[in-house]
Amino acid sequence: TRRGYEWQEGDGPQFKCTQGGIEGLSTLKVSWRSPRTPTDFMNTAQPAVYEMFVNELGEVLCRRLAQNLRQASIPSTTPVFKFKSSEEGPSDEVFELRVTVEDSLRYKALSVISAVVSSVREEGAMTDEFILAKGHYMENLSGSINSVAQANRSLVWRCVRSFLYSSSLMLPKS
């Protein structure tokens, strides 16, 4: 790991409910973190493989959350999963699952989100969920291979992150 960085285990997932933005709606967010990738592994295939699995996890969580919210008769926005990797800064890796629901249903929805995160954490993904997520990841990956080259600014920032945080210079999948 980077000099000066030390993993400090937290209390587990953090849940947050934010009201505002659009009247009558609440945004629910669960986030958690993990230790950053050790510096010695940043220029290997490990970050790319790890990111692939993280993206698959995100799709499993989003699909399962959307399905469980529908089953609980809770209208919502499409769930969003975000990941901040070791390549993006000097701190922990951060995972976030977010969805917006009606204010009156926020506690019921929070219970559903908790159950989804807990079930994936304890039992993992079902085989069919994993196959579907992997298929979508591979489709997106093959599409990005044919995409237009990155702008110079993006490449410069990739080099800066590599220098500062020992991140990989390998071009991203998207």
Side-chain angles (χ1 to χ4, degrees), residues 63-79:
R63 284 181 176 278
R64 196 180 288 188
L65 178 57
Q67 179 182 10
N68 287 11
L69 288 169
R70 276 192 305 276
Q71 288 173 345
S73 299
I74 303 173
S76 70
T77 59
T78 301

Side-chain angles (χ1 to χ4, degrees), residues 82-131:
K82 292 189 176 189
F83 171 61
K84 180 183 172 199
S85 73
S86 298
E87 295 180 338
E88 296 178 50
S91 60
D92 300 339
E93 295 185 326
V94 179
F95 308 81
E96 178 184 294
L97 181 60
R98 183 182 50 198
V99 68
T100 300
V101 299
E102 294 176 22
D103 282 340
S104 62
L105 297 171
R106 67 183 179 269
Y107 296 113
K108 187 176 176 184
L110 191 57
S111 174
V112 171
I113 292 172
S114 298
V116 166
V117 171
S118 178
S119 71
V120 170
R121 183 177 183 186
E122 292 173 14
E123 301 160 16
M126 304 298 286
T127 303
D128 59 336
E129 290 177 310
F130 178 73
I131 290 170

Side-chain angles (χ1 to χ4, degrees), residues 6-7 57 60-61 66 86 104 113 120 128 133-134 147 158:
E6 186 176 319
W7 165 249
L57 167 68
V60 167
L61 285 166
S86 298
S104 62
I113 292 172
V120 170
D128 59 336
K134 186 165 196 68
S147 67
R158 190 151 196 80

